[in-house]
């Protein structure tokens, strides 16, 4: 049984930093695609960072240069480091995963990636950035 458990988030002032973590368990030896999604007030949920099994990452234009992601395969943990945060980063952040015999993971560059590819979701975490 695949499970996705998140932690982190909270509040920060513009220019500050926040960290989110995600643990994906139960994937066995399957390929795993993981992405961080953001749902801002009044907007659709959209992936802003994606990472594949080899560690290759893609970032939406809105977060490029400010967000980084690191992966600890031994702990099945991913860390999303959010630097120089802006009020428009406010929203609920979800970690999502898809597992299986996957040839390719979605590309989250540009305007971000869509959520329909991912079956397994974390519980979400509120991030609030004040100006």
């Amino acid at each position: 049984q695949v499970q996705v458990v998140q932690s982190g988030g909270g509040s920060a002032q513009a220019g500050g930093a926040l960290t989110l973590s995600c643990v994906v368990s139960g994937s066995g030896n399957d390929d795993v695609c993981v992405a961080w999604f953001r749902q801002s007030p009044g907007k659709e949920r959209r992936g802003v960072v994606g990472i594949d099994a080899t560690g290759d990452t893609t970032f939406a234009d809105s977060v490029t240069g400010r967000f980084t992601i690191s992966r600890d395969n031994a702990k099945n943990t991913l860390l999303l480091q959010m630097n120089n945060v802006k009020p428009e980063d406010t929203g609920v952040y979800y970690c999502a995963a898809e597992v299986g015999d996957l040839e390719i993971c979605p590309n989250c560059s540009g305007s971000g990636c869509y959520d329909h590819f991912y079956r397994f979701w974390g519980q979400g975490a509120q991030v609030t950035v004040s100006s």
Side-chain angles (χ1 to χ4, degrees), residues 5-16:
V5 179
Q6 301 175 221
S7 61
S11 299
Q13 291 191 325

Side-chain angles (χ1 to χ4, degrees), residues 19-80:
T19 303
L20 296 169
S21 68
C22 175
V23 177
V24 181
S25 61
S27 61
N29 294 320
D30 287 338
D31 298 326
V32 182
C33 296
V34 182
W36 284 98
F37 283 77
R38 176 173 67 201
Q39 186 157 27
S40 300
K43 296 184 178 181
E44 68 172 341
R45 185 167 63 184
R46 187 65 66 92
V48 294
V49 181
I51 185 168
D52 68 16
T54 66
D56 288 340
T57 54
T58 54
F59 295 85
D61 291 346
S62 61
V63 305
T64 295
R66 301 186 299 118
F67 289 14
T68 61
I69 189 169
S70 60
R71 188 171 193 161
D72 183 340
N73 287 327
K75 297 180 180 180
N76 292 326
T77 300
L78 294 97
L79 290 177
L80 179 67

Side-chain angles (χ1 to χ4, degrees), residues 60-123:
D61 291 346
S62 61
V63 305
T64 295
R66 301 186 299 118
F67 289 14
T68 61
I69 189 169
S70 60
R71 188 171 193 161
D72 183 340
N73 287 327
K75 297 180 180 180
N76 292 326
T77 300
L78 294 97
L79 290 177
L80 179 67
Q81 181 64 42
M82 308 165 61
N83 297 320
N84 189 23
V85 293
K86 303 176 180 181
E88 51 263 43
D89 292 325
T90 294
V92 179
Y93 283 72
Y94 297 90
C95 180
E98 179 55 48
V99 302
D101 185 14
L102 307 172
E103 293 184 359
I104 191 169
C105 296
N107 187 325
C108 296
S109 62
S111 60
C113 49
Y114 293 100
D115 61 8
H116 55 76
F117 176 84
Y118 300 90
R119 287 184 289 161
F120 306 101
W121 291 79
Q123 71 274 28

